[in-house]
Amino acid sequence: MNDTETKLFTLLNSYGDIIKLNWNFNSDAIISNLKKEDWFEGPNNKLGLNLTGSDGKDLGLDSKNKHDVDQTYTQALLNNPELKEFFDKWEKLARCRAAWLNEGSFFRLHRDAWRMNPQMRIFIPLNKTDIHEWTFIYNEERIPFEAGKAYILNTRKQHGSFTMVNGVFHILMSVYLTENNLKAVQSMLPNTKEN
């Protein structure tokens, strides 16, 4: 990271590790559109769908270019106008995906962006966030999320999740940290106003 990116990252982290953004999604409409797409099998009983980057024959989980900047929208994202409206707020997107989790699906505890990548993670749990449906662990604590909201997560800290029911949908965005993207975060922070 260069000096500017380090300053932006420090400012972003000053807001907290988990930041709920002031944005509401129509989860039912988004999920209905996502279900029409061709999904790919991922590890641990998950399905995935690229929203930026490759429209190819797999998710590209091991692809060396999944962190490349300015990845284009896939047809799956273009087919989902409400989701695209939120994506349009950001610049310099790396690989972004939708995840379809079923009973027994999990993300083992891990850390993202352990390299010096100047990226932030936007997490959008679309549905089924009650404790008996899906559980998210962050730094050894269970964190509750509200369905249909967007969150900035500090994924350099340990996190993971597991699913107890079928049909859990999430959006996982990887966004480069730029001045424009930090301004987008600031414009969606709750409990703020200009004086």
Side-chain angles (χ1 to χ4, degrees), residues 37 44 91-92 103 133 136 142 156 182 189 191:
E37 303 295 336
N44 308 319
E91 66 180 8
K92 297 193 175 186
E103 183 178 354
E133 298 170 314
F136 187 89
R142 182 193 171 271
R156 285 171 169 79
L182 187 60
L189 289 174
N191 305 319

Side-chain angles (χ1 to χ4, degrees), residues 78 140 157 195:
L78 295 172
E140 301 180 10
K157 292 191 176 180
N195 290 325

Side-chain angles (χ1 to χ4, degrees), residues 119-195:
Q119 293 179 11
M120 61 182 164
R121 177 58 63 109
I122 301 175
F123 173 62
I124 306 165
L126 290 172
N127 67 341
K128 299 185 181 181
T129 56
D130 289 339
I131 192 169
H132 66 280
E133 298 170 314
W134 170 80
T135 295
F136 187 89
I137 305 298
Y138 187 81
N139 260 3
E140 301 180 10
E141 292 182 41
R142 182 193 171 271
I143 305 294
F145 285 95
E146 187 178 341
K149 288 290 194 177
Y151 296 83
I152 304 290
L153 296 181
N154 178 356
T155 57
R156 285 171 169 79
K157 292 191 176 180
Q158 193 168 231
H159 61 285
S161 68
F162 50 95
T163 311
M164 284 71 72
V165 296
N166 291 331
V168 175
F169 288 85
H170 297 157
I171 305 297
L172 310 166
M173 297 176 67
S174 293
V175 180
Y176 271 80
L177 194 52
T178 66
E179 191 171 330
N180 178 73
N181 287 340
L182 187 60
K183 286 178 181 176
V185 170
Q186 291 169 330
S187 73
M188 290 185 247
L189 289 174
N191 305 319
T192 59
K193 65 178 182 177
E194 287 189 29
N195 290 325

Side-chain angles (χ1 to χ4, degrees), residues 26-69:
N26 180 342
S27 294
D28 291 339
I30 292 171
I31 292 169
S32 177
N33 283 330
L34 289 174
K35 283 183 173 180
K36 296 174 189 174
E37 303 295 336
D38 293 326
W39 290 72
F40 298 105
E41 285 190 35
N44 308 319
N45 197 30
K46 297 186 294 275
L47 298 173
L49 178 66
N50 287 335
L51 299 173
T52 62
S54 173
D55 259 334
K57 298 184 189 216
D58 64 33
L59 292 170
L61 295 175
D62 298 320
S63 170
K64 293 181 183 188
N65 70 353
K66 68 182 178 181
H67 293 290
D68 286 354
V69 69

